[in-house]
Amino acid sequence: MKIITSSKFKNPFLVVELLTKFTVISGTSSEELAKKLAKRLRANLLKSQLRVFPDGESKITIKGKLQKNRIIVVQSTYPPVDENLIQALSIISKAKEHGTEIIAVIPYMGYARQDREFLPGEVITMKVIARLFKSAGASRIIVVDIHSMMGLKYFNINSKNVTAILDLAKYFSKLKLKNPLVVSPDQGGKKRAKEFAKFLNVKYISLKKHRDRKTGKVEIKSSNFNEIIGRDLILVDDMVSTGGSIIKATEFLKKQKCKRVFVACTHALLRNDAEKKIKKAGVIKIISTNTIPGKTSLVDVSDTIAKAIV
């Protein structure tokens, strides 16, 4: 390791860390993000190959030679969740045979919504997942906008959640919006909306949402908001799965005579024709990050993840 002294580097510790040798291994669910991350860290990049047998079993092969250094495994566990999870754990296990430290970067953490026993008899799956990552050999774990911070408490290893809120806000700051207002579709996302609005130097509001735990039905309980009239709205959320909450919120906001409605989210799962249904409800555009690749993932979070690693 050598130390470079230059006026353009404000943080000498960051320089030293960047010169520490990394190897990035990409799982098949996060190839592009892993490539961008490796470039930022000036790290070696190894890809993995997945073969699924007729009986459903997965065979993972890491393409390239693993070296004795710090290894970063990048693999989101979006649908098919179990398949992507097994791949992440398998790569971590193989990396452990060679690496001095194994950093698991799970941009989208599946099962994060199962972080407590909501109804009697429910398994807290997030607790099980946390044990699996440690047993597989992960030394550290980094996630992006995990659905609930409670889930990280189950990890008995160094764990960190980073947020993509500023990355998303920077994207929206470049759009020509009319008197924008940031909206959280529920009270739980109030802090997220506040941070987003602060960066844009605009106001924010949060709606009151009720979800039936048994049926999953969502209702908006909020009263009318006069300040919505004629303004462009940005609905900010951590994830959009089937889009139920976003659709209900959009329908409610449209009744308040707003102008355009945009959606900003970190994780765009968009299951069961969610994008089509959301746009039918009145949303102009959905903007998400590359934690889950897709046509809405226009915001790159590799820089945010790189900063968390070093």
Side-chain angles (χ1 to χ4, degrees):
M1 183 189 299
K2 59 181 179 178
I3 299 176
I4 296 176
T5 56
S6 173
S7 59
K8 71 177 181 178
F9 291 110
K10 295 181 180 179
N11 187 344
F13 296 102
L14 182 61
V15 178
V16 173
E17 288 287 356
L18 283 174
L19 290 171
T20 302
K21 199 70 173 176
F22 284 110
T23 294
V24 173
I25 304 176
S26 67
T28 58
S29 74
S30 298
E31 288 184 349
E32 283 304 310
L33 179 52
K35 183 178 179 180
K36 290 178 183 294
L37 182 61
K39 186 176 180 180
R40 289 189 182 278
L41 295 173
R42 300 177 186 177
N44 298 323
L45 175 65
L46 300 180
K47 292 185 177 181
S48 58
Q49 186 179 68
L50 174 67
R51 180 184 176 189
V52 180
F53 293 101
D55 63 357
E57 287 185 6
S58 297
K59 182 180 180 65
I60 299 115
T61 305
I62 297 172
K63 310 300 287 184
K65 186 177 180 181
L66 284 167
Q67 297 178 335
K68 194 83 175 177
N69 53 23
R70 301 171 73 189
I71 298 177
I72 303 165
V73 176
V74 187
Q75 171 81 344
S76 269
T77 56
Y78 56 81
V81 178
D82 293 348
E83 184 177 297
N84 283 328
L85 176 61
I86 287 295
Q87 188 177 354
L89 295 170
S90 298
I91 296 172
I92 289 168
S93 179
K94 184 65 177 176
K96 181 65 176 175
E97 297 175 10
H98 301 268
T100 56
E101 180 187 15
I102 311 302
I103 304 169
V105 174
I106 315 296
Y108 171 75
M109 174 61 78
Y111 289 107
R113 286 175 285 183
Q114 298 185 38
D115 62 348
R116 67 197 79 182
E117 190 174 348
F118 293 102
L119 297 173
E122 290 183 343
V123 175
I124 304 175
T125 313
M126 196 64 246
K127 186 187 290 186
V128 179
I129 299 300
R131 290 171 180 167
L132 288 173
F133 273 101
K134 183 179 180 180
S135 297
S139 313
R140 294 168 58 191
I141 187 159
I142 296 171
V143 297
V144 182
D145 284 326
I146 192 168
H147 188 69
S148 170
M149 289 300 293
M150 182 178 287
L152 285 186
K153 294 180 181 178
Y154 298 122
F155 286 87
N156 291 320
I157 56 176
N158 188 326
S159 59
K160 187 172 186 178
N161 177 72
V162 298
T163 182
I165 289 300
L166 292 185
D167 296 312
L168 285 163
K170 286 176 185 176
Y171 182 93
F172 275 86
S173 69
K174 298 173 185 177
L175 301 181
K176 295 180 180 179
L177 303 177
K178 182 181 178 181
N179 194 16
L181 178 69
V182 176
V183 182
S184 171
D186 54 46
Q187 294 294 302
K190 192 182 240 183
K191 182 180 178 183
R192 189 181 303 115
K194 183 179 180 180
E195 290 178 9
F196 196 102
K198 184 178 180 181
F199 182 87
L200 295 180
N201 195 26
V202 300
K203 292 184 178 180
Y204 76 96
I205 61 172
S206 58
L207 305 179
K208 292 180 181 178
K209 180 185 76 174
H210 173 72
R211 183 191 297 273
D212 189 301
R213 286 290 174 192
K214 292 184 178 180
T215 65
K217 187 177 179 180
V218 175
E219 290 182 337
I220 302 296
K221 299 288 187 179
S222 301
S223 302
N224 292 348
F225 291 101
N226 291 329
E227 59 188 320
I228 290 173
I229 299 173
R231 302 177 72 169
D232 283 340
L233 307 182
I234 308 170
L235 272 168
V236 179
D237 214 342
D238 62 331
M239 62 183 291
V240 178
S241 183
T242 59
S245 297
I246 294 296
I247 290 168
K248 287 289 183 183
T250 302
E251 290 172 345
F252 172 80
L253 294 167
K254 280 292 185 179
K255 290 178 182 177
Q256 316 307 313
K257 300 179 181 179
C258 66
K259 197 170 176 62
R260 297 179 296 176
V261 179
F262 296 84
V263 170
C265 70
T266 303
H267 314 294
L269 290 158
L270 301 175
R271 311 304 292 174
N272 303 327
D273 290 324
E275 184 180 4
K276 184 178 179 180
K277 293 173 184 175
I278 289 169
K279 289 188 175 180
K280 186 178 179 181
V283 170
I284 294 295
K285 196 171 186 180
I286 303 168
I287 305 297
S288 65
T289 76
N290 56 353
T291 59
I292 298 176
K295 62 180 180 179
T296 68
S297 56
L298 304 176
V299 177
D300 177 34
V301 293
S302 62
D303 184 53
T304 297
I305 294 172
K307 288 174 182 175
I309 290 173
V310 300

